[in-house]
Each structure stands twice: as C-alpha cells, then as structure tokens.
Amino acid sequence: AQSVTQPDIHITVSEGASLELRCNYSYGATPYLFWYVQSPGQGLQLLLKYFSGDTLVQGIKGFEAEFKRSQSSFNLRKPSVHWSDAAEYFCAVAPGYSSASKIIFGSGTRLSIRP
Amino acid sequence: DVKVTQSSRYLVKRTGEKVFLECVQDMDHENMFWYRQDPGLGLRLIYFSYDVKMKEKGDIPEGYSVSREKKERFSLILESASTNQTSMYLCASSSGDREAFFGQGTRLTVV
C-alpha cells in the first residue's frame, strides 16, 4: 500500500535561512508527488508536483523539490524563507498507473519562522 | 476560477445524530475525496469516488458512508455521530493529472 512519511513534525528556522522539509514515500512504481501548503485558517494550496521529466521541480513562492528515486524521497527546499512561509506543509502521493486512484497525504510538517 | 464548495464552514451536532456534509465541484472532475484533518495526523482519507455511484474506502471509513449521485456532488454521511468524529473535514476533487483542489473545510463538533 502506498504511504507517505514526513519525519519532522515541527521545524523552526530563522527568516532568511534556507529550508528543507523531508518527505519519503512508499510505492512500487513512479508515482505522482505533490507538496501542498496550508496557511493558518486557510485551505490547502498546491506548491508543486512531479510525475516525470526533470527530477528538480520548481513551484510557486520560490519553492523547489527534488525527486530521488533511489531514496524514495521528494524533499521540499527554499533558499531563503520569509515570515509569510510560516504554515503547515503536506507531502502527497498518487499512483501513476491509474487516474481513478486515491491521493495519500503525509502527517504534515509545521514550519515556524524565527524573526 | 476552479471551485470546490463545502456547504458549511462550522457545524455543531449532537451525539447519535445523522450528519450530512455536502461538497460540490464545478470543474467536471472525475475523482472526489473526503478527508479528515486532525492535529499531528495530517489528512486521512475517508472515502473517494472515481465516478458517479462508484466509491472506494480510504484508510478510515468506519462510521462514515458516502453518496455520489451526480458527478459534481459528493456527500459524506455520519450515520450516528460520535464525539470522536469531531474534526475538520476536507473535500477535494481531481482529474487525470491527480492535482487535488480543496474546499475550505467543515469544522464539525459533536457534543
């Protein structure tokens, strides 16, 4: 069964510092991979997605993620965080073989920004 | 603008009541989903539907049922609400590219 692990429950970084949020997935074939962000009191917004092609994916708000098949990872990065990046981040996976399929989310990583 | 609309933002229901949560999407998406979101547990899939009248259980279907009579509408039913079903409920829809679009959520409190 497919699953997603986000090992970091809560991360605090200083404003202007770099950020990496970890995501590991369990799935046999190449899946669709996503990162979503949920700001306080807001709905979920897609940051970026990967299915095929270049393993480094650019998203909105200056975020990027790298797909590493050998490590079953899809980590999210940002070179310099802003106070407005404080939010909860969710990694998600969906099978590539069928569009009629579930989308599974990780447990989330809450990001706090230190002034 | 694409839209997933959940009928209520906040609901308070009594234990044992039958509760209906409604979700409508205007994107002609084939897939629709119901998740519940709890602190520290992320989004857990309750049910999803890949076509009208078609449904599959997610990871936590116990105590819930769903209905999809029309492509644009997906209802979540709590047959007999219990306090452990107090949660945020999120509806989403997607098409072939798997990108999920979410509603604003319904915060359900069962007292």
Side-chain angles (χ1 to χ4, degrees), chain A residues 6-64:
Chain A
Q6 293 181 248
D8 303 306
I9 296 171
H10 183 206
I11 285 179
T12 300
V13 300
S14 297
E15 191 167 15
S18 63
L19 170 71
E20 182 167 25
L21 301 183
R22 295 183 291 166
C23 173
N24 292 96
Y25 66 91
S26 172
Y27 187 68
T30 300
Y32 283 76
L33 294 161
F34 306 87
W35 276 99
Y36 286 82
V37 60
Q38 186 179 39
S39 299
Q42 302 297 311
L44 278 93
Q45 181 183 21
L46 180 72
L47 284 175
L48 47 76
K49 64 183 177 185
Y50 171 82
F51 176 60
S52 64
D54 192 345
T55 56
L56 185 62
V57 182
Q58 302 297 320
I60 62 170
K61 305 185 180 190
F63 285 92
E64 65 179 26

Side-chain angles (χ1 to χ4, degrees), chain B residues 5 13 26 32 35 67 70 76 82 84 88 108:
Chain B
T5 304
K13 296 292 182 181
D26 65 0
M32 296 188 74
Y35 296 89
S67 173
K70 293 185 177 181
L76 180 69
S82 64
N84 63 13
M88 172 69 83
L108 173 67

Side-chain angles (χ1 to χ4, degrees), chain A residues 36 38 49 95-96 98-99 103, chain B residues 31 35 37 97-100:
Chain A
Y36 286 82
Q38 186 179 39
K49 64 183 177 185
S98 170
S99 62
I103 304 171
Chain B
N31 302 325
Y35 296 89
Q37 182 178 13
D97 69 355
R98 292 21 166 221
E99 178 182 344

